[in-house]
Amino acid sequence: MKAAALALALLPLTLAVGDSSITQHGFRQISIPAGRGPRWITVADVNHDGNPDLLVADAEGETVTILLGDGTGQFRQAPGSPVPAGHLPNDIAVADMNCDGKPDLVIANHQAPYLTILLGDGKGGFHPAPASPFDVHSTPHPHGVTVADFNGDGKPDVVTDSWGNNQIELLLGDGSGGIKTPGRYFAVGHRPYERLRSADFNHDGIPDVVTTNLDDGTVTILLGDGKGSFRDAPGSPFQAGAKPWQMFVDDVDADGNADLVILPYQRDISGVSEDAVTVLLGDGKGTFSPMAGSPLPLANCRGANSVTAGDLRGDGKHAIVVACAESRNLVLFERGPDGSFAASSIPAKGGWGAVAMARLTRDRYSEIVTANPDDNTITVYFSE
């Protein structure tokens, strides 16, 4: 049993108090105030205390809420939080953009062609980088963002989508907190609309990029050369189910290779058979194929809008969690004794907010975190 509790500190001008604890379906749930319209959640240690913190993109408030964790399940708002984050913040990447040893934030601004960069002070505080926000000339605007050193110069670079042109854009970092614009564009599939991510898919030590291509029913894998260029992986693009939209990178089968967990855009699918989670297993060479038993039906999930995966129970078996905005529940796919996934559902506040999973305490379990835009909170789910 886990006895972690959440508590929030009283800060000047900000009273942050968690709701009463509720236990349902094997999870103890506690909600925490965020900014207006929280949509996206990223987990990182931004104040160098060795404990995970929660970064929440508040779309309607155009801010990022910084919640500092203490490793026991308690969180407090950082001084100065929420922090202005530009128009409709939609995605957050964490990297040391000015090479001072302190985590910074790169934020995709939805419905505007900008990326906002916030420089961290190493204590949980953030301020805009010089010249931020950056006009990245994305067509018509970015949705996602990922950061890695793509050209091997030791400075973090940024990749975002230019989905109206069926491209991604690589923007080289200057090592001082800025990015060089415009960037260099690379073709992917048709309408890389919502999520792109970076990982080393072929184990060459060089970061690669994956996009979901909404109108092709595919994902594109671009292998990096370490010099600021990309090429299609052999066999890319790969079939990824109907209308692939949201995506999470995880080692689902624990073989040491990055895999992909993909959600369809339910509004555009044609029937129940297409309403399912697609899991593509990587071979460590940049090639992907469907997992046995994939796709996983999304029964009782209306408005599937975010997916995450990880070792939820601390048993080495990775689970998949889907947030369902309209049916107001979470669908959990967990491995049974035979290795196959079984689905269950737990109530959630719902709304078009993301779901994340991470170890927020020092025990072996991972926690689930949801963004709840309808009541301006996030909820943390602790396994009991």
Side-chain angles (χ1 to χ4, degrees), residues 206-219:
I206 299 170
D208 311 311
V209 172
V210 55
T211 69
T212 51
N213 305 315
L214 186 69
D215 289 346
D216 287 350
T218 65
V219 293

Side-chain angles (χ1 to χ4, degrees), residues 159-350:
V159 169
T160 191
D161 56 287
S162 186
W163 57 270
N165 291 338
N166 303 322
Q167 296 173 324
I168 63 166
E169 182 183 7
L170 170 64
L171 301 127
L172 298 180
D174 63 10
S176 299
I179 49 178
K180 301 172 184 178
T181 64
R184 184 180 177 188
Y185 295 86
F186 298 87
V188 292
H190 191 207
R191 204 178 176 200
Y193 183 67
E194 179 65 29
R195 205 55 65 199
L196 81 169
R197 287 293 180 255
S198 176
D200 183 5
F201 294 117
N202 61 347
H203 293 294
D204 64 355
I206 299 170
D208 311 311
V209 172
V210 55
T211 69
T212 51
N213 305 315
L214 186 69
D215 289 346
D216 287 350
T218 65
V219 293
T220 293
I221 303 294
L222 291 179
L223 302 179
D225 67 357
K227 300 176 183 179
S229 191
F230 298 95
R231 60 180 174 85
D232 282 331
S236 177
F238 300 98
Q239 294 298 312
K243 300 298 179 181
W245 180 42
Q246 298 288 342
M247 169 185 58
F248 191 79
V249 179
D250 181 67
D251 185 3
V252 175
D253 58 355
D255 67 350
N257 300 321
D259 308 314
L260 307 176
V261 186
I262 302 156
L263 281 187
Y265 193 36
Q266 283 187 337
R267 190 187 70 177
D268 290 354
I269 61 177
S270 60
V272 174
S273 63
E274 295 182 344
D275 189 14
V277 179
T278 298
V279 181
L280 299 180
L281 300 181
D283 66 357
K285 301 177 182 179
T287 298
F288 289 82
S289 59
M291 179 191 71
S294 174
L296 306 172
L298 275 170
N300 304 316
C301 178
R302 298 191 310 278
N305 70 296
S306 180
V307 62
T308 189
D311 186 359
L312 180 62
R313 306 293 185 180
D315 57 4
K317 299 177 181 178
H318 283 213
I320 296 168
V321 181
V322 178
C324 308
E326 295 172 353
S327 53
R328 297 186 178 274
N329 62 313
L330 298 175
V331 174
L332 280 61
F333 295 95
E334 299 185 75
R335 287 193 185 274
D338 64 354
S340 64
F341 282 99
S344 62
S345 177
I346 61 174
K349 290 190 176 183

Side-chain angles (χ1 to χ4, degrees), residues 1 15 63 87 173 186 220 224 298 319 356:
M1 300 283 288
L15 179 63
T63 60
H87 186 64
F186 298 87
T220 293
L298 275 170

Side-chain angles (χ1 to χ4, degrees), residues 65-90:
T65 296
I66 313 296
L67 296 170
L68 303 179
D70 68 357
T72 70
Q74 300 181 33
F75 292 84
R76 62 181 176 87
Q77 288 226 25
S81 172
V83 182
H87 186 64
L88 293 177
N90 188 65

